[in-house]
Amino acid sequence: MKTIITALSIAIASIVSTFANNATITAVATVGNTVTFNIAWANSWNAATAPNNWDAVWLFIKYQDCSTPTVWSHAKVVPGSTVGAPLMVEDVTDSMGIFVRRSTAGAGNIAATAVTMQVNMPTGTYNIKVFGIEMVYAPAGNFEIGDNSTSNKTFINTTVTAALQTSGIAANAIQSAGGAGFTNVALPTTYPMGYNGFYCMKYEITQQQYVEMLNTLTYDQQTGCTFLAPNVSPLNYSMTGGSGASGSNGISTDIVGVASTTPAHYTNNCAIALPHNSTNDGQWNACNYLKWADLTAYLDWSALRPITELEMEKVCRGFNGRVNGEFPWGNNTTNSNTTGAVGYTAVNTAGDAPVSVQNGPWAGSFSGLCQGAKRVGYAAQAASTRVTAGAAYFGAMDMAGNVWEQVVNTSTAAGATFTALHGNGVLLANGNADVANWPNVTTGLGTGRKGSSCDVVTGGGIQISDRSAINVPTPNRECGGGGRGGRTY
């Protein structure tokens, strides 16, 4: 039952739990303007030795006024949130959410731990949703770019330092002429070069996370963020338009919308024979078929931002010296522990279930067709090493293969104007991001692709320093399109 409330009191009409790859949010409740819930996730760490970093969960809240049930708004957080041991809270200056992470050195699973967040919302009666995104922290420090010119269009061997970040990088200083589209522009001090500390999503955006966003949008916003209109039969798949889970993308509607008035309800249905949103229905799969506008919509909605190609190189290589032809797992050898392709069951299994796939693009002869996005973190198990898990230096997963990482480039004037502003939690009426100085959401000019994807059969593109597609934006939905975001610390 909905309750009419007075100032400083917030009533909850319905409360929704959510999950990322391993993170779960449960037992959501409110008293006044205080939201409480439990957070749990697997394979957490705070390392007192190299890489001297930690993982965290980015937490934010959306609310829906019951008098306007088609609109969800982003709640600002009042400083003073608390969390139980062994976690701590990190506030952010724009109040768009909080980070929670281990307060001291340690590693292992985080059991359900109580979180209390104070929110600032107008008087009303609301539905509440709490969302969590797993992140890794890349501390401030010098790092190397380039790999001795052994990868395609690699940077000139350079060490990115505080001095470069504060003085800017001159044109031609870090890249030589690389062909069409490479203008070798200067990078201003406002461009995120990676020296400063920042958070990066631990995993690529999952299909469940994208579904969660879609279910907080208006009908017209949903139209902009999907291939099929929200009022199309649920027998068709929303991101591809097909009658099956093409490329392992199972996002579809279970309740269709009414044009321009009532949004649809989206769910996962990758294993077609099962009911919608069954346990292994693609929730954990990396969300493919994302064009640049889709990626930036998710990042704006979640109050994150795109990352740059320099930041990606830091996340992968970390503080280690460069290795010729280096992959994100720290050496130049393709992993031999995993080969071949897998079916839906293995792809969609959550947690530490073993899967038989290689770290990088799909093995075998598939005629260049996308064989499907895999479960994020697919190669990692409890006993994995960095190499066997395919993990980047700071703990980010799947930085090579699975789906393309769409990043802001350094090789165009449109990329150089990026200033790392965070999303404001609100999208335009057509579903596009509205953040100043992000590369154009329609053309993607100023962006490119890193890390290769499931639609590339050969090994090209998976080296950390490979920039062969750095001037190739993704203005249209295609099987390998995906990505992740970050946040300045």
Side-chain angles (χ1 to χ4, degrees):
M1 182 177 68
K2 299 179 182 178
T3 305
I4 304 300
I5 59 174
T6 57
L8 302 181
S9 177
I10 300 172
I12 306 303
S14 66
I15 299 169
V16 181
S17 298
T18 186
F19 56 86
N21 184 47
N22 285 308
T24 57
I25 294 169
T26 56
V28 182
T30 65
V31 176
N33 66 340
T34 302
V35 180
T36 62
F37 53 91
N38 293 331
I39 178 73
W41 75 96
N43 305 315
S44 170
W45 72 88
N46 184 341
T49 57
N52 298 102
N53 81 320
W54 54 82
D55 75 332
V57 176
W58 169 243
L59 294 168
F60 57 99
I61 293 174
K62 301 284 184 178
Y63 67 97
Q64 180 190 60
D65 192 324
C66 295
S67 64
T68 54
T70 62
V71 177
W72 288 85
S73 301
H74 196 104
K76 290 293 188 78
V77 179
V78 178
S81 298
T82 61
V83 63
L87 303 177
M88 61 176 286
V89 171
E90 289 179 349
D91 290 316
V92 296
T93 56
D94 61 6
S95 303
M96 298 301 289
I98 61 172
F99 288 102
V100 295
R101 66 174 180 91
R102 285 180 177 268
S103 58
T104 57
N109 296 342
I110 299 293
T113 304
V115 182
T116 300
M117 293 174 68
Q118 307 289 331
V119 292
N120 184 8
M121 297 188 294
T123 302
T125 307
Y126 301 105
N127 298 322
I128 295 286
K129 291 184 180 181
V130 182
F131 300 93
I133 299 175
E134 293 181 68
M135 312 288 286
V136 299
Y137 182 60
N142 297 349
F143 69 100
E144 296 182 356
I145 58 174
D147 67 350
N148 296 316
S149 299
T150 59
S151 291
N152 197 346
K153 299 180 181 176
T154 181
F155 286 118
I156 296 170
N157 287 356
T158 305
T159 299
V160 178
T161 64
L164 281 183
Q165 183 67 73
T166 56
S167 66
I169 297 178
N172 302 310
I174 61 173
Q175 55 195 333
S176 54
F182 279 72
T183 55
N184 296 330
V185 297
L187 297 180
T189 59
T190 51
Y191 185 89
M193 300 174 194
Y195 173 83
N196 296 325
F198 63 96
Y199 277 101
C200 175
M201 287 176 63
K202 185 186 294 185
Y203 306 106
E204 292 150 334
I205 297 168
T206 67
Q207 292 178 31
Q208 175 63 22
Q209 288 172 323
Y210 200 72
V211 161
E212 289 171 342
M213 179 193 75
L214 291 174
N215 286 334
T216 66
L217 303 184
T218 66
Y219 181 97
D220 290 340
Q221 289 172 330
Q222 289 177 343
T223 300
C225 293
T226 55
F227 178 79
L228 289 181
N231 63 349
V232 173
S233 166
L235 298 178
N236 294 287
Y237 282 75
S238 301
M239 299 304 292
T240 67
S243 58
S246 175
S248 297
N249 190 303
I251 294 176
S252 58
T253 58
D254 59 349
I255 302 175
V256 298
V258 178
S260 299
T261 60
T262 306
H265 185 269
Y266 290 85
T267 186
N268 299 277
N269 192 29
C270 193
I272 302 167
L274 299 175
H276 282 251
N277 216 37
S278 297
T279 301
N280 292 320
D281 235 347
Q283 295 92 334
W284 317 108
N285 288 4
C287 193
N288 53 348
Y289 288 96
L290 295 184
K291 60 182 179 179
W292 177 248
D294 299 330
L295 173 64
T296 51
Y298 183 85
L299 299 181
D300 189 4
W301 172 85
S302 58
L304 298 176
R305 64 165 175 85
I307 62 173
T308 68
E309 60 166 318
L310 289 173
E311 289 176 318
M312 182 172 172
E313 198 141 337
K314 179 179 180 177
V315 168
C316 291
R317 181 173 289 120
F319 300 133
N320 287 342
R322 62 180 60 84
V323 174
N324 292 2
E326 180 183 5
F327 298 121
W329 44 90
N331 62 30
N332 56 13
T333 303
T334 302
N335 285 336
S336 60
N337 66 305
T338 52
T339 58
V342 297
Y344 284 121
T345 301
V347 171
N348 298 319
T349 301
D352 288 330
V355 293
S356 179
V357 289
Q358 72 176 48
N359 295 343
W362 289 88
S365 298
F366 297 122
S367 302
L369 299 176
C370 184
Q371 299 302 302
K374 300 181 285 292
R375 173 177 61 82
V376 295
Y378 65 89
Q381 301 174 47
S384 295
T385 64
R386 176 186 171 188
V387 171
T388 59
Y393 182 86
F394 291 116
M397 303 300 298
D398 310 327
M399 298 298 275
N402 215 0
V403 294
W404 288 104
E405 304 291 340
Q406 297 182 59
V407 296
V408 181
N409 64 33
T410 63
S411 54
T412 61
T417 61
F418 178 65
T419 58
L421 289 178
H422 298 127
N424 59 13
V426 179
L427 302 182
L428 296 174
N430 64 0
N432 284 343
D434 63 348
V435 186
N437 296 321
W438 284 15
N440 185 279
V441 296
T442 301
T443 65
L445 185 63
T447 71
R449 308 173 181 186
K450 292 274 289 182
S452 194
S453 76
C454 58
D455 64 355
V456 176
V457 177
T458 63
I462 67 175
Q463 291 88 354
I464 293 173
S465 295
D466 189 297
R467 303 175 66 240
S468 55
I470 202 59
N471 282 336
V472 181
T474 309
N476 302 306
R477 296 186 181 96
E478 53 187 271
C479 187
R484 73 186 81 206
R487 204 171 213 280
T488 305
Y489 181 48

